[in-house]
Amino acid sequence: MNILEMHDIHKSFNDLDVLKGIDLSVSQGEVVAVIGPSGGGKSTLLRCATTLERIDSGKIVIGGDVLCDSADGKIHYCDKNMLSEIRSKFGLVFQNFNLFPHFSVRRNITEALIHVHKKSKEEANKICDGLLAKMDLTAKADEYPCNLSGGQQQRVSIARALATNPEIIFFDEPTSALDPELTKGVLKVIRELAQEKMTMVIVTHEMSFARDVADRIVFMDGGVIVEEGPAYELVTNPKQERTKAFLAGY
């Protein structure tokens, strides 16, 4: 079963065509890494999949529900209730954490559980405690983000994304704001999620990580998918000259 289906996705900003007919499917339990140069459309693709940007044309299906589809030359998005249902099916981890600075770690994780997903405070705290233990952050439950390292903040972000038990998690450059030492801890968590068969789409510049953890790698440049294939094979034996040139820098 495909958790994510994106068909013929087009997106422009003014006169700049950023996505030029992208087709991408992600099956249940699959880890897909999206790589490519800056400005190639990777983050825009993620923002379109997670409703942060509206596409100009194409079709997006998440967890079997249609988010949007083109008809009569126009793009039509689902209604408000379906949009809420679809958003509950995915988690999103940003490169700059996006934690609420005035909330404790616990409240950052439980806020949506209580107020959006209508969990009891007791149930939300139980979920939170389990995730903090998983992230090795139990002692930080009552701390505020400003008192955490970047790596700890990113692990809180991952815990928050996992809290609602999503069908798929999107990561947008999850380690780009971290130094190499802190990067290790975040990548370790993502590796463990991959081993647990969490469905993930990861935009990353960490080539060795993508090679070792992803099932499939998608290489984007200029708003199109230049090449995709099994992760290890694509990194070690790319077919397209543009892919070879990009990977030669790593």
Side-chain angles (χ1 to χ4, degrees):
M1 172 187 171
N2 287 334
I3 300 298
L4 173 68
E5 296 178 16
M6 303 182 77
H7 302 293
D8 197 23
I9 304 300
H10 289 260
K11 174 65 182 177
S12 299
F13 294 102
N14 297 320
D15 295 329
L16 179 64
D17 294 329
V18 180
L19 300 177
K20 306 172 185 177
I22 297 288
D23 289 301
L24 177 67
S25 295
V26 181
S27 60
Q28 187 170 17
E30 187 179 23
V31 179
V32 175
V34 184
I35 65 171
S38 297
K42 307 183 302 297
S43 290
T44 299
L45 183 69
L46 231 62
R47 291 178 66 82
C48 290
T50 56
T51 74
L52 295 175
E53 298 282 358
R54 291 174 68 95
I55 63 172
D56 298 325
S57 64
K59 182 178 183 179
I60 302 176
V61 182
I62 298 179
D65 292 325
V66 178
L67 170 64
C68 56
D69 198 0
S70 296
D72 307 319
K74 297 180 181 179
I75 186 69
H76 301 274
Y77 271 76
C78 61
D79 62 31
K80 186 177 179 181
N81 289 336
M82 178 57 73
L83 182 60
S84 179
E85 174 70 20
I86 289 173
R87 283 176 171 161
S88 73
K89 295 187 177 195
F90 65 78
L92 176 58
V93 178
F94 300 89
Q95 62 186 62
N96 292 318
F97 323 135
N98 280 37
L99 298 174
F100 296 109
H102 55 297
F103 286 180
S104 67
V105 165
R106 180 177 297 281
R107 192 172 173 191
N108 262 285
I109 294 171
T110 60
E111 187 76 359
L113 287 173
I114 294 169
H115 297 288
V116 177
H117 298 275
K118 306 305 179 185
K119 303 283 188 185
S120 68
K121 189 173 181 180
E122 182 182 23
E123 188 176 0
N125 280 325
K126 184 176 180 181
I127 292 169
C128 176
D129 289 341
L131 287 168
L132 288 178
K134 186 183 184 75
M135 300 294 153
D136 196 23
L137 291 171
T138 298
K140 303 295 184 182
D142 298 319
E143 297 280 1
Y144 286 83
C146 63
N147 296 322
L148 304 180
S149 70
Q152 289 170 334
Q153 289 186 62
Q154 193 60 295
R155 281 183 278 149
V156 174
S157 296
I158 295 172
R160 182 177 62 182
L162 288 168
T164 56
N165 194 29
E167 295 183 30
I168 184 171
I169 297 185
F170 297 93
F171 293 84
D172 187 9
E173 300 278 10
T175 60
S176 66
L178 306 177
D179 63 39
E181 192 64 32
L182 296 178
T183 292
K184 291 178 184 177
V186 173
L187 294 183
K188 177 177 179 287
V189 168
I190 300 175
R191 284 177 191 272
E192 290 170 354
L193 293 175
Q195 290 167 0
E196 295 168 9
K197 295 299 181 183
M198 181 74 217
T199 309
M200 296 184 281
V201 177
I202 308 167
V203 171
T204 183
H205 284 294
E206 300 280 346
M207 290 306 124
S208 59
F209 171 75
R211 178 196 66 206
D212 296 340
V213 175
D215 298 300
R216 179 161 49 104
I217 290 179
V218 172
F219 172 61
M220 286 184 66
D221 188 23
V224 300
I225 292 176
V226 176
E227 184 173 354
E228 64 179 301
Y232 187 83
E233 183 178 320
L234 187 139
V235 171
T236 57
N237 187 30
K239 302 294 189 293
Q240 301 297 321
E241 291 302 319
R242 181 65 189 95
T243 316
K244 291 177 183 178
F246 174 77
L247 292 171
Y250 288 89

